[in-house]
Amino acid sequence: MYKVLGMTATRTFRVLWMMEELGLEYQHLDLQPGSDDMKAVNPTGKVPALVEGDDVVLDSTAIIQYLADKHGGLTYPAGTIERAQQDSFTQFILDEIDAALWSAARNTFVLPKEKRVPQIKETLKWEFTRSLKILEGRIGDNEFLMGDKITVPDIILTQCGGWARVAGFDIPDGKLRDYFKRMIARPAYKRADVLRG
Ligand SMILES: N[C@@H](CCC(=O)N[C@@H](CS)C(=O)NCC(=O)O)C(=O)O
């Protein structure tokens, strides 16, 4: 059985949600980043990790794309133009949305206090808002990023939406906010959300 390692209030949630979307069996170990148990599988101590037999896969995007490919859900097949467009959304969200939120977190509580630059947060919020507008234009009236099929980047973007709310990044009223409401109403999201307690 798959083992998912990492606290739910982190990017680990993406993996738990993907497991639920695909209807897979898994065991969840709610490990803290930086804990000895986490360092035993990932020298950086970062979460999440997926353990499958003797193999370990690190990085939430690598894990959920692997699960999607392996189990044939929430992805277009490799080598298709749709997959290229899907991956383009994934990379945009990582570059523009995840990166802004992560930089804010680093400069709020992750980095040692003397290394933090708190003023950067205003710039990150400005960049975040600018990137959301671009995404909003790309989603248009579609149900999901790729049209009528939920795919990997929808999971990443929606987890980032919740993260943004907690981190005090504004999500203006509009199509994207409606999109987030639709996404978090999905039964699989709700089942994974129960694990957050
Ligand atoms: N790109 C990686 C980032 C992993 C990551 O930075 N995880 C955070 C929690 S969401 C963490 O473990 N932080 C602890 C640290 O940086 O020391 C992924 O998507 O899994």
Side-chain angles (χ1 to χ4, degrees):
M1 195 194 299
Y2 293 119
K3 277 190 196 154
V4 181
L5 276 49
M7 278 168 60
T8 49
T10 64
R11 294 174 179 96
T12 304
F13 184 76
R14 299 172 184 172
V15 181
L16 299 172
W17 183 9
M18 179 59 93
M19 289 284 180
E20 294 294 338
E21 288 284 353
L22 294 170
L24 301 173
E25 279 195 33
Y26 62 94
Q27 186 188 355
H28 175 227
L29 303 177
D30 197 54
L31 299 183
Q32 290 240 5
S35 59
D36 288 345
D37 286 344
M38 209 52 228
K39 281 188 183 152
V41 293
N42 183 1
T44 68
K46 290 189 178 195
V47 302
L50 177 76
V51 179
E52 185 181 7
D54 292 337
D55 294 307
V56 176
V57 184
L58 305 175
D59 189 281
S60 61
T61 303
I63 296 168
I64 66 174
Q65 187 61 63
Y66 165 66
L67 293 172
D69 284 331
K70 182 172 172 189
H71 298 283
L74 287 86
T75 190
Y76 286 91
T80 60
I81 193 67
E82 290 87 357
R83 175 59 171 272
Q85 305 294 6
Q86 175 192 315
D87 288 346
S88 150
F89 271 122
T90 298
Q91 294 307 324
F92 181 88
I93 294 158
L94 294 177
D95 278 354
E96 306 286 335
I97 307 288
D98 181 290
L101 293 168
W102 181 230
S103 290
R106 286 161 73 86
N107 285 284
T108 305
F109 60 88
V110 180
L111 290 170
K113 219 171 187 160
E114 67 280 7
K115 301 286 182 200
R116 296 177 199 161
V117 183
Q119 307 88 297
I120 202 170
K121 276 188 266 178
E122 284 318 303
T123 305
L124 295 169
K125 284 183 178 173
W126 174 82
E127 273 193 287
F128 176 86
T129 306
R130 192 181 58 167
S131 304
L132 277 194
K133 274 211 181 78
I134 293 170
L135 263 185
E136 194 153 56
R138 287 184 74 181
I139 291 185
D141 289 321
N142 288 337
E143 186 173 0
F144 303 108
L145 290 163
M146 285 296 294
D148 55 6
K149 178 182 162 90
I150 180 173
T151 58
V152 164
D154 290 301
I155 301 267
I156 302 172
L157 179 59
T158 304
Q159 188 271 337
C160 284
W163 183 2
R165 195 167 36 81
V166 173
F169 280 58
D170 186 43
I171 298 175
D173 273 339
K175 287 185 177 162
L176 215 47
R177 197 183 270 245
D178 296 343
Y179 160 87
F180 285 130
K181 281 190 194 147
R182 281 197 303 279
M183 294 295 292
I184 66 173
R186 293 179 67 80
Y189 178 97
K190 289 189 178 162
R191 286 196 297 276
D193 201 31
V194 167
L195 298 171
R196 290 203 271 213

